[in-house]
Coordinates of all heavy atoms in Angstrom, one line a residue:
M164 N 0.8 -1.2 0.0 CA 0.0 0.0 0.0 C 0.9 1.2 0.0 O 1.8 1.4 0.8 CB -0.9 0.0 1.2 CG -2.0 -0.9 1.2 SD -3.1 -0.6 2.5 CE -3.5 -2.2 3.1
R165 N 0.6 2.2 -0.9 CA 1.3 3.4 -1.0 C 0.6 4.5 -0.3 O -0.6 4.7 -0.5 CB 1.5 3.8 -2.4 CG 2.4 4.9 -2.7 CD 3.1 4.8 -4.0 NE 4.1 5.7 -4.2 CZ 5.3 5.7 -3.6 NH1 5.6 4.7 -2.8 NH2 6.2 6.6 -3.8
V166 N 1.3 5.2 0.6 CA 0.7 6.3 1.4 C 1.3 7.6 1.0 O 2.5 7.8 1.1 CB 0.8 6.1 2.9 CG1 0.1 7.2 3.7 CG2 0.2 4.7 3.3
V167 N 0.5 8.6 0.5 CA 1.0 9.8 0.0 C 0.4 11.0 0.8 O -0.9 11.0 1.0 CB 0.7 10.0 -1.5 CG1 1.2 11.4 -2.0 CG2 1.3 8.9 -2.3
A168 N 1.2 11.9 1.3 CA 0.7 13.1 2.0 C 0.8 14.3 1.0 O 1.9 14.5 0.4 CB 1.5 13.4 3.2
G169 N -0.3 15.0 0.9 CA -0.2 16.3 0.1 C -0.3 17.4 1.1 O -1.1 17.5 2.0
I170 N 0.6 18.4 0.9 CA 0.7 19.5 1.8 C 0.6 20.8 1.0 O 1.3 21.1 0.0 CB 2.1 19.5 2.5 CG1 2.3 18.2 3.3 CG2 2.2 20.8 3.4 CD1 3.6 18.1 4.0
D171 N -0.4 21.7 1.4 CA -0.5 23.0 0.9 C 0.0 23.9 2.0 O -0.7 24.3 2.9 CB -2.0 23.3 0.5 CG -2.2 24.7 -0.1 OD1 -1.2 25.4 -0.4 OD2 -3.3 25.0 -0.3
G172 N 1.3 24.3 1.9 CA 1.9 24.9 3.0 C 1.7 26.4 3.0 O 1.6 27.1 2.0
S173 N 1.7 27.0 4.2 CA 1.6 28.4 4.4 C 2.1 28.7 5.8 O 2.2 27.8 6.6 CB 0.1 28.8 4.3 OG 0.0 30.2 4.7
T174 N 2.4 30.0 6.1 CA 2.9 30.3 7.4 C 1.7 30.4 8.5 O 2.0 30.4 9.6 CB 3.7 31.6 7.4 OG1 2.8 32.7 6.9 CG2 4.9 31.5 6.5
K175 N 0.5 30.6 8.0 CA -0.6 30.8 8.9 C -1.5 29.6 8.9 O -2.0 29.2 9.9 CB -1.4 32.1 8.6 CG -0.6 33.3 8.8 CD -1.4 34.6 8.6 CE -0.5 35.8 8.8 NZ -1.3 37.0 8.6
K176 N -1.8 29.1 7.7 CA -2.7 27.9 7.6 C -2.2 26.9 6.6 O -1.9 27.3 5.5 CB -4.1 28.4 7.1 CG -4.9 29.2 8.1 CD -6.3 29.5 7.6 CE -7.0 30.4 8.6 NZ -8.4 30.7 8.1
T177 N -2.0 25.7 7.0 CA -1.5 24.7 6.1 C -2.4 23.5 6.1 O -2.9 23.0 7.1 CB -0.1 24.2 6.7 OG1 0.8 25.2 6.5 CG2 0.4 23.0 5.9
G178 N -2.8 23.1 4.9 CA -3.7 21.9 4.7 C -2.8 20.7 4.4 O -1.9 20.7 3.7
I179 N -3.2 19.6 5.0 CA -2.6 18.3 4.8 C -3.6 17.2 4.5 O -4.6 17.1 5.2 CB -1.7 17.9 6.0 CG1 -0.7 18.9 6.3 CG2 -1.0 16.5 5.7 CD1 0.2 18.6 7.5
S180 N -3.4 16.5 3.4 CA -4.3 15.3 3.2 C -3.4 14.1 3.0 O -2.2 14.2 2.6 CB -5.1 15.5 1.9 OG -4.3 15.7 0.8
V181 N -3.9 12.9 3.4 CA -3.2 11.7 3.3 C -4.1 10.7 2.5 O -5.2 10.5 2.9 CB -2.9 11.1 4.7 CG1 -2.1 9.8 4.6 CG2 -2.0 12.1 5.5
M182 N -3.4 10.1 1.5 CA -4.1 9.1 0.7 C -3.4 7.8 0.8 O -2.2 7.8 0.8 CB -4.1 9.6 -0.8 CG -4.5 11.0 -1.0 SD -6.2 11.3 -1.4 CE -6.6 10.4 -2.8
R183 N -4.2 6.7 0.8 CA -3.6 5.4 0.8 C -4.2 4.7 -0.5 O -5.4 4.6 -0.6 CB -4.0 4.6 2.0 CG -3.4 3.1 1.9 CD -3.8 2.3 3.2 NE -3.1 2.8 4.4 CZ -3.8 3.2 5.5 NH1 -5.1 3.0 5.5 NH2 -3.1 3.6 6.5
D184 N -3.3 4.4 -1.4 CA -3.7 3.8 -2.7 C -4.8 4.6 -3.4 O -5.8 4.0 -3.9 CB -4.1 2.3 -2.5 CG -2.9 1.4 -2.1 OD1 -1.8 1.7 -2.5 OD2 -3.1 0.4 -1.4
G185 N -4.7 5.9 -3.3 CA -5.6 6.7 -4.0 C -6.9 7.1 -3.3 O -7.8 7.8 -3.8
E186 N -7.0 6.6 -2.1 CA -8.2 6.8 -1.3 C -7.9 7.7 -0.1 O -6.9 7.5 0.7 CB -8.8 5.5 -0.7 CG -10.1 5.6 0.0 CD -10.7 4.3 0.4 OE1 -10.4 3.3 -0.3 OE2 -11.4 4.2 1.4
L187 N -8.7 8.8 0.1 CA -8.4 9.7 1.2 C -8.7 9.1 2.5 O -9.8 8.5 2.7 CB -9.4 10.9 1.0 CG -9.3 12.0 2.1 CD1 -7.9 12.7 2.0 CD2 -10.4 13.0 1.9
I188 N -7.7 9.1 3.4 CA -7.8 8.5 4.7 C -7.7 9.5 5.8 O -8.1 9.2 7.0 CB -6.8 7.3 4.9 CG1 -5.4 7.9 4.9 CG2 -7.0 6.2 4.0 CD1 -4.3 6.9 5.4
F189 N -7.2 10.7 5.5 CA -7.1 11.7 6.6 C -6.9 13.1 5.9 O -6.2 13.2 4.9 CB -5.9 11.4 7.5 CG -5.6 12.4 8.5 CD1 -6.2 12.3 9.7 CD2 -4.6 13.4 8.3 CE1 -6.0 13.3 10.7 CE2 -4.4 14.3 9.3 CZ -5.0 14.3 10.5
Y190 N -7.4 14.1 6.6 CA -7.1 15.5 6.2 C -7.3 16.4 7.4 O -8.0 16.1 8.3 CB -8.0 16.0 5.0 CG -9.5 16.1 5.4 CD1 -10.0 17.2 5.8 CD2 -10.3 15.0 5.2 CE1 -11.3 17.3 6.1 CE2 -11.6 15.0 5.5 CZ -12.2 16.2 6.0 OH -13.5 16.3 6.3
T191 N -6.5 17.5 7.4 CA -6.6 18.4 8.5 C -6.1 19.8 8.0 O -5.5 19.9 7.0 CB -5.7 18.0 9.7 OG1 -6.0 18.8 10.8 CG2 -4.2 18.0 9.3
L192 N -6.5 20.8 8.8 CA -6.0 22.2 8.6 C -5.3 22.6 9.8 O -5.9 22.5 10.9 CB -7.2 23.1 8.3 CG -6.8 24.6 8.2 CD1 -5.9 24.8 6.9 CD2 -8.0 25.5 8.2
I193 N -4.0 22.9 9.7 CA -3.3 23.5 10.8 C -3.4 25.0 10.8 O -3.0 25.6 9.8 CB -1.8 23.1 10.7 CG1 -1.7 21.6 10.7 CG2 -1.0 23.7 11.9 CD1 -0.3 21.1 10.4
D194 N -4.1 25.5 11.7 CA -4.4 27.0 11.7 C -3.7 27.7 12.8 O -4.0 27.5 14.0 CB -5.9 27.2 11.9 CG -6.4 28.6 11.8 OD1 -5.5 29.5 11.7 OD2 -7.6 28.9 11.8
L195 N -2.7 28.4 12.4 CA -1.9 29.2 13.3 C -2.1 30.7 13.1 O -1.3 31.6 13.6 CB -0.4 28.9 13.2 CG 0.1 27.5 13.4 CD1 1.6 27.4 13.2 CD2 -0.4 27.0 14.8
S196 N -3.2 31.1 12.5 CA -3.5 32.5 12.2 C -3.7 33.4 13.4 O -3.5 34.6 13.3 CB -4.7 32.6 11.3 OG -5.9 32.1 11.9
H197 N -4.0 32.7 14.5 CA -4.2 33.5 15.8 C -3.0 33.4 16.7 O -3.0 33.8 17.8 CB -5.5 33.1 16.5 CG -6.7 33.3 15.6 ND1 -7.2 34.5 15.3 CD2 -7.5 32.4 15.0 CE1 -8.2 34.4 14.5 NE2 -8.4 33.1 14.3
E198 N -1.9 32.8 16.2 CA -0.7 32.6 17.0 C 0.2 33.9 16.9 O -0.2 34.9 16.3 CB 0.1 31.4 16.5 CG -0.6 30.1 16.6 CD -0.7 29.6 18.0 OE1 0.2 29.9 18.8 OE2 -1.7 28.9 18.3
T199 N 1.4 33.8 17.3 CA 2.3 34.9 17.3 C 2.5 35.5 15.9 O 2.4 34.8 14.9 CB 3.7 34.5 17.9 OG1 4.6 35.6 17.8 CG2 4.3 33.4 17.1
S200 N 2.7 36.8 15.9 CA 2.9 37.5 14.6 C 4.4 37.4 14.2 O 4.7 37.7 13.1 CB 2.5 38.9 14.6 OG 3.3 39.6 15.6
E201 N 5.2 36.9 15.1 CA 6.7 36.7 14.8 C 6.9 35.5 13.8 O 6.5 34.4 14.2 CB 7.4 36.5 16.1 CG 8.9 37.0 16.0 CD 9.8 36.0 15.3 OE1 9.8 34.9 15.6 OE2 10.4 36.5 14.3
S202 N 7.4 35.8 12.6 CA 7.4 34.9 11.5 C 8.2 33.6 11.9 O 7.8 32.5 11.6 CB 8.0 35.5 10.3 OG 7.2 36.6 9.9
L203 N 9.4 33.8 12.4 CA 10.3 32.6 12.7 C 9.6 31.6 13.7 O 9.6 30.4 13.5 CB 11.6 33.0 13.2 CG 12.6 31.9 13.5 CD1 12.9 31.1 12.3 CD2 13.9 32.5 14.1
Q204 N 9.0 32.2 14.7 CA 8.3 31.3 15.7 C 7.1 30.6 15.1 O 6.9 29.4 15.4 CB 7.8 32.2 16.9 CG 8.9 32.7 17.8 CD 8.3 33.5 18.9 OE1 7.2 33.9 18.9 NE2 9.2 33.9 19.9
R205 N 6.4 31.3 14.2 CA 5.2 30.7 13.6 C 5.7 29.6 12.6 O 5.1 28.5 12.5 CB 4.4 31.7 12.8 CG 3.0 31.4 12.7 CD 2.1 32.5 12.2 NE 2.5 33.1 11.0 CZ 2.9 34.4 10.9 NH1 2.9 35.1 11.9 NH2 3.3 34.8 9.7
I206 N 6.8 29.8 11.9 CA 7.3 28.8 10.9 C 7.8 27.6 11.7 O 7.5 26.4 11.3 CB 8.5 29.4 10.1 CG1 7.9 30.4 9.1 CG2 9.2 28.3 9.4 CD1 9.0 31.2 8.4
Q207 N 8.5 27.8 12.8 CA 8.9 26.7 13.6 C 7.8 25.9 14.2 O 7.8 24.6 14.1 CB 9.8 27.2 14.8 CG 11.1 27.7 14.3 CD 11.9 28.4 15.5 OE1 11.3 28.9 16.4 NE2 13.2 28.5 15.3
K208 N 6.8 26.5 14.7 CA 5.6 25.9 15.2 C 4.8 25.1 14.1 O 4.4 24.0 14.3 CB 4.6 26.9 15.9 CG 3.5 26.3 16.6 CD 2.8 27.3 17.4 CE 2.6 26.9 18.8 NZ 1.9 27.8 19.7
M209 N 4.8 25.7 12.9 CA 4.1 25.1 11.8 C 4.8 23.8 11.4 O 4.2 22.7 11.1 CB 4.0 26.0 10.6 CG 3.2 25.4 9.4 SD 1.5 25.0 9.7 CE 0.8 26.7 9.8
L210 N 6.2 23.8 11.3 CA 6.9 22.6 11.0 C 6.8 21.5 12.0 O 6.7 20.3 11.7 CB 8.4 23.0 10.8 CG 8.7 23.8 9.5 CD1 10.1 24.3 9.5 CD2 8.4 23.0 8.3
V211 N 6.7 21.9 13.3 CA 6.5 20.9 14.3 C 5.1 20.2 14.1 O 5.0 19.0 14.2 CB 6.6 21.5 15.7 CG1 6.1 20.5 16.8 CG2 8.0 21.9 16.0
K212 N 4.1 21.0 13.9 CA 2.7 20.5 13.7 C 2.7 19.6 12.4 O 2.0 18.6 12.4 CB 1.7 21.6 13.5 CG 1.6 22.5 14.8 CD 0.7 21.9 15.7 CE 0.4 22.8 16.9 NZ -0.3 22.2 18.0
I213 N 3.3 20.0 11.3 CA 3.4 19.2 10.1 C 4.0 17.9 10.4 O 3.5 16.8 10.1 CB 4.1 19.9 9.0 CG1 3.3 21.1 8.5 CG2 4.4 19.0 7.8 CD1 4.0 22.0 7.5
G214 N 5.1 17.9 11.1 CA 5.8 16.7 11.5 C 5.0 15.8 12.4 O 4.9 14.5 12.2
E215 N 4.2 16.3 13.3 CA 3.3 15.5 14.1 C 2.2 14.8 13.3 O 1.9 13.6 13.5 CB 2.6 16.4 15.2 CG 3.6 16.9 16.3 CD 3.0 17.9 17.2 OE1 1.8 18.4 16.9 OE2 3.7 18.3 18.2
V216 N 1.7 15.5 12.3 CA 0.7 14.9 11.4 C 1.3 13.8 10.6 O 0.8 12.7 10.5 CB 0.0 15.9 10.5 CG1 -0.8 15.3 9.5 CG2 -0.8 16.9 11.3
L217 N 2.5 14.0 10.0 CA 3.1 13.0 9.2 C 3.6 11.8 10.0 O 3.5 10.7 9.5 CB 4.3 13.6 8.5 CG 4.0 14.7 7.5 CD1 5.3 15.3 6.8 CD2 3.0 14.3 6.4
D218 N 3.9 12.0 11.3 CA 4.3 10.9 12.2 C 3.2 10.0 12.5 O 3.4 8.8 12.8 CB 4.9 11.5 13.5 CG 6.3 12.1 13.4 OD1 7.0 11.8 12.4 OD2 6.6 12.8 14.4
Q219 N 2.0 10.4 12.3 CA 0.8 9.6 12.6 C 0.5 8.6 11.5 O -0.3 7.7 11.8 CB -0.5 10.5 12.8 CG -0.4 11.4 14.0 CD -1.6 12.4 14.0 OE1 -2.5 12.2 13.2 NE2 -1.6 13.3 14.9
H220 N 1.2 8.7 10.4 CA 0.9 7.9 9.2 C 2.2 7.3 8.7 O 3.3 7.9 8.9 CB 0.2 8.6 8.1 CG -1.1 9.3 8.6 ND1 -2.3 8.7 8.8 CD2 -1.3 10.6 9.1 CE1 -3.2 9.5 9.3 NE2 -2.6 10.7 9.5
D221 N 2.1 6.2 8.1 CA 3.3 5.6 7.5 C 3.5 6.1 6.1 O 3.2 5.4 5.1 CB 3.2 4.0 7.5 CG 4.5 3.3 7.2 OD1 5.6 4.0 7.3 OD2 4.4 2.1 6.8
I222 N 4.0 7.3 6.0 CA 4.1 8.0 4.7 C 5.2 7.5 3.8 O 6.3 7.3 4.3 CB 4.3 9.6 5.0 CG1 3.3 10.1 5.9 CG2 4.4 10.3 3.7 CD1 1.9 10.2 5.3
D223 N 4.9 7.3 2.5 CA 5.9 6.9 1.5 C 6.4 8.0 0.7 O 7.5 8.0 0.2 CB 5.3 5.8 0.6 CG 4.9 4.5 1.3 OD1 5.7 3.9 2.0 OD2 3.7 4.1 1.2
E224 N 5.5 9.0 0.5 CA 5.8 10.1 -0.4 C 5.1 11.4 0.1 O 3.9 11.3 0.5 CB 5.4 9.8 -1.8 CG 5.8 10.8 -2.8 CD 5.5 10.3 -4.3 OE1 5.2 9.1 -4.4 OE2 5.5 11.1 -5.2
V225 N 5.7 12.5 -0.1 CA 5.1 13.8 0.2 C 5.1 14.7 -1.0 O 6.1 14.8 -1.7 CB 5.9 14.6 1.4 CG1 5.3 16.0 1.5 CG2 5.7 13.8 2.7
C226 N 4.0 15.3 -1.3 CA 3.8 16.2 -2.4 C 3.5 17.5 -1.9 O 2.6 17.7 -1.0 CB 2.7 15.7 -3.4 SG 3.0 14.1 -4.1
M227 N 4.2 18.5 -2.3 CA 3.9 19.9 -1.9 C 3.7 20.8 -3.1 O 4.3 20.6 -4.2 CB 5.1 20.5 -1.1 CG 5.2 20.1 0.3 SD 6.3 21.0 1.3 CE 5.5 22.6 1.5
E228 N 2.9 21.8 -2.9 CA 2.6 22.8 -3.9 C 4.0 23.5 -4.3 O 4.8 23.8 -3.4 CB 1.6 23.8 -3.4 CG 1.4 25.0 -4.1 CD 0.4 26.0 -3.4 OE1 0.6 26.2 -2.2 OE2 -0.5 26.4 -4.1
K229 N 4.2 23.7 -5.5 CA 5.5 24.4 -5.9 C 5.4 25.9 -5.5 O 4.3 26.5 -5.5 CB 5.7 24.3 -7.5 CG 6.1 23.0 -7.9 CD 6.4 23.1 -9.4 CE 6.9 21.7 -9.9 NZ 7.3 21.7 -11.2
A230 N 6.5 26.4 -5.1 CA 6.5 27.8 -4.7 C 6.2 28.7 -5.9 O 6.7 28.4 -7.0 CB 7.9 28.2 -4.2
F231 N 5.4 29.7 -5.7 CA 5.0 30.6 -6.8 C 5.9 31.8 -6.6 O 6.4 32.1 -5.6 CB 3.5 30.9 -6.7 CG 3.1 31.5 -5.4 CD1 3.0 32.8 -5.3 CD2 2.8 30.7 -4.3 CE1 2.6 33.4 -4.1 CE2 2.4 31.2 -3.1 CZ 2.3 32.6 -3.0
N232 N 5.9 32.6 -7.7 CA 6.6 33.8 -7.7 C 5.8 34.9 -7.1 O 4.8 35.4 -7.7 CB 7.1 34.2 -9.1 CG 8.0 35.4 -9.1 OD1 8.5 35.8 -8.1 ND2 8.4 35.8 -10.3
N233 N 6.0 35.2 -5.8 CA 5.2 36.2 -5.1 C 6.0 37.6 -5.1 O 7.2 37.6 -5.0 CB 5.1 35.7 -3.6 CG 4.1 36.5 -2.8 OD1 4.0 37.7 -3.0 ND2 3.4 35.8 -2.0
S234 N 5.2 38.6 -5.3 CA 5.8 39.9 -5.3 C 6.4 40.4 -3.9 O 7.2 41.2 -3.8 CB 4.8 41.0 -5.8 OG 3.7 41.0 -4.9
N235 N 5.9 39.7 -2.9 CA 6.4 40.0 -1.5 C 7.5 39.0 -1.2 O 7.3 37.8 -1.0 CB 5.3 39.8 -0.5 CG 5.7 40.2 0.9 OD1 6.8 40.0 1.3 ND2 4.7 40.6 1.7
T236 N 8.8 39.5 -1.2 CA 9.9 38.7 -1.0 C 9.9 38.0 0.3 O 10.3 36.8 0.4 CB 11.2 39.6 -1.2 OG1 11.2 40.2 -2.4 CG2 12.5 38.7 -1.1
Q237 N 9.5 38.7 1.4 CA 9.4 38.1 2.7 C 8.5 36.9 2.7 O 8.9 35.8 3.3 CB 8.9 39.1 3.7 CG 8.7 38.6 5.1 CD 9.8 39.1 6.1 OE1 10.6 40.0 5.7 NE2 9.9 38.5 7.2
T238 N 7.4 36.9 2.1 CA 6.4 35.8 2.1 C 7.1 34.6 1.3 O 7.0 33.5 1.7 CB 5.1 36.2 1.4 OG1 4.5 37.3 2.2 CG2 4.2 35.0 1.3
T239 N 7.7 34.9 0.2 CA 8.3 33.9 -0.6 C 9.4 33.2 0.2 O 9.5 32.0 0.2 CB 9.0 34.5 -1.9 OG1 7.9 35.1 -2.7 CG2 9.6 33.4 -2.7
M240 N 10.2 34.0 1.0 CA 11.3 33.4 1.8 C 10.7 32.5 2.9 O 11.2 31.4 3.2 CB 12.1 34.5 2.4 CG 13.0 35.1 1.4 SD 14.0 36.5 2.0 CE 14.8 35.8 3.4
M241 N 9.6 32.9 3.5 CA 9.0 32.1 4.6 C 8.4 30.8 4.0 O 8.6 29.8 4.6 CB 7.9 32.9 5.3 CG 8.4 34.1 6.1 SD 7.2 34.9 7.2 CE 6.1 35.6 6.0
L242 N 7.8 30.9 2.8 CA 7.3 29.7 2.2 C 8.4 28.7 1.9 O 8.3 27.5 2.0 CB 6.4 30.0 1.0 CG 5.1 30.7 1.3 CD1 4.4 31.1 0.0 CD2 4.2 29.8 2.1
A243 N 9.5 29.3 1.4 CA 10.7 28.5 1.1 C 11.2 27.8 2.4 O 11.7 26.6 2.3 CB 11.8 29.3 0.4
N244 N 11.2 28.5 3.5 CA 11.6 27.9 4.8 C 10.8 26.7 5.2 O 11.3 25.7 5.6 CB 11.6 29.0 5.9 CG 12.8 30.0 5.8 OD1 13.8 29.6 5.3 ND2 12.5 31.2 6.2
I245 N 9.5 26.9 5.0 CA 8.6 25.8 5.3 C 8.8 24.6 4.4 O 8.9 23.4 4.8 CB 7.1 26.2 5.2 CG1 6.8 27.1 6.4 CG2 6.2 25.0 5.2 CD1 5.4 27.7 6.4
A246 N 9.0 24.8 3.1 CA 9.3 23.8 2.1 C 10.6 23.1 2.5 O 10.7 21.9 2.5 CB 9.3 24.3 0.7
G247 N 11.6 23.9 2.9 CA 12.9 23.3 3.3 C 12.8 22.4 4.5 O 13.4 21.4 4.6
G248 N 12.0 22.9 5.5 CA 11.8 22.1 6.7 C 11.1 20.8 6.4 O 11.4 19.7 7.0
V249 N 10.1 20.8 5.5 CA 9.4 19.5 5.1 C 10.4 18.6 4.3 O 10.4 17.4 4.6 CB 8.2 19.8 4.2 CG1 7.6 18.6 3.7 CG2 7.1 20.6 5.1
M250 N 11.2 19.2 3.5 CA 12.2 18.4 2.8 C 13.2 17.8 3.7 O 13.6 16.6 3.6 CB 13.0 19.3 1.8 CG 12.2 19.7 0.6 SD 13.0 21.0 -0.5 CE 14.4 20.1 -1.0
Y251 N 13.6 18.5 4.8 CA 14.5 17.9 5.8 C 13.8 16.8 6.5 O 14.4 15.7 6.7 CB 14.9 19.0 6.8 CG 15.7 18.4 8.0 CD1 17.0 18.0 7.8 CD2 15.1 18.2 9.2 CE1 17.7 17.5 8.9 CE2 15.7 17.7 10.3 CZ 17.1 17.3 10.1 OH 17.7 16.7 11.2
Y252 N 12.5 17.0 6.9 CA 11.8 15.9 7.6 C 11.7 14.7 6.7 O 12.0 13.5 7.2 CB 10.4 16.4 7.9 CG 9.5 15.3 8.4 CD1 9.4 15.1 9.8 CD2 8.8 14.4 7.6 CE1 8.6 14.1 10.3 CE2 8.0 13.4 8.1 CZ 7.9 13.2 9.5 OH 7.2 12.2 10.0
C253 N 11.5 14.9 5.4 CA 11.4 13.7 4.5 C 12.7 13.0 4.4 O 12.8 11.8 4.4 CB 10.9 14.2 3.1 SG 9.2 14.7 3.1
A254 N 13.8 13.8 4.2 CA 15.2 13.2 4.1 C 15.5 12.4 5.4 O 16.0 11.3 5.3 CB 16.2 14.2 3.8
K255 N 15.2 13.0 6.5 CA 15.5 12.3 7.8 C 14.7 11.0 8.0 O 15.1 10.1 8.6 CB 15.2 13.3 8.9 CG 15.5 12.8 10.3 CD 15.2 13.9 11.3 CE 15.3 13.4 12.7 NZ 14.8 14.3 13.7
N256 N 13.5 11.0 7.4 CA 12.6 9.8 7.6 C 12.5 8.9 6.3 O 11.6 8.1 6.2 CB 11.2 10.3 8.0 CG 11.2 10.9 9.4 OD1 11.3 10.2 10.4 ND2 11.3 12.2 9.5
N257 N 13.4 9.1 5.4 CA 13.5 8.3 4.2 C 12.2 8.3 3.4 O 11.6 7.3 3.0 CB 13.9 6.8 4.5 CG 15.3 6.8 5.0 OD1 16.2 7.4 4.5 ND2 15.5 6.0 6.1
I258 N 11.6 9.5 3.2 CA 10.4 9.7 2.5 C 10.7 10.4 1.2 O 11.5 11.3 1.2 CB 9.4 10.5 3.3 CG1 9.0 9.8 4.6 CG2 8.1 10.8 2.5 CD1 8.2 10.6 5.6
K259 N 10.1 9.9 0.1 CA 10.3 10.6 -1.2 C 9.6 11.9 -1.2 O 8.6 12.1 -0.7 CB 9.8 9.7 -2.3 CG 10.6 8.4 -2.5 CD 10.0 7.7 -3.6 CE 10.7 6.3 -3.8 NZ 10.3 5.6 -4.9

């Protein structure tokens, strides 16, 4: 059985869905919109929450939305930090 997690990452709200052999088995929204306005703390908290969700399932592969070209450089950098954190999690856990 192949288990794939799809992540729509953001610094305030991140959606995650988990599919097993093409069938949706789990989905959630991590909402940190009412958390601290300090970006680094929010990114760290978001990455911890994403890791907690992924730890609950035996994930084989993670798919993330490609970074888009945003006119706000700060937002683009924060999204890249989240993507990098997820890539690190995947590398550490042998996930494609």
Side-chain angles (χ1 to χ4, degrees):
M164 287 192 221
R165 186 148 192 77
V166 181
V167 178
I170 301 174
D171 183 7
S173 172
T174 61
K175 293 183 180 178
K176 294 182 180 181
T177 291
I179 303 176
S180 62
V181 179
M182 312 264 305
R183 181 181 294 125
D184 292 330
E186 186 175 330
L187 180 66
I188 61 168
F189 177 84
Y190 64 92
T191 191
L192 175 68
I193 301 168
D194 185 353
L195 300 181
S196 60
H197 301 291
E198 298 285 332
T199 178
S200 62
E201 206 284 303
S202 300
L203 181 58
Q204 289 178 351
R205 208 170 51 243
I206 289 170
Q207 290 171 338
K208 191 173 229 179
M209 184 61 75
L210 289 171
V211 168
K212 297 277 188 191
I213 292 169
E215 289 171 354
V216 170
L217 297 179
D218 285 343
Q219 294 174 7
H220 305 278
D221 190 19
I222 304 293
D223 297 305
E224 186 174 346
V225 170
C226 299
M227 280 192 74
E228 169 182 49
K229 286 187 179 182
F231 58 94
N232 190 6
N233 189 322
S234 60
N235 184 330
T236 305
Q237 176 107 12
T238 300
T239 302
M240 288 175 54
M241 288 189 299
L242 292 173
N244 286 330
I245 290 175
V249 172
M250 289 171 63
Y251 172 76
Y252 175 93
C253 291
K255 183 178 170 188
N256 292 283
N257 297 314
I258 298 171
K259 294 180 182 181

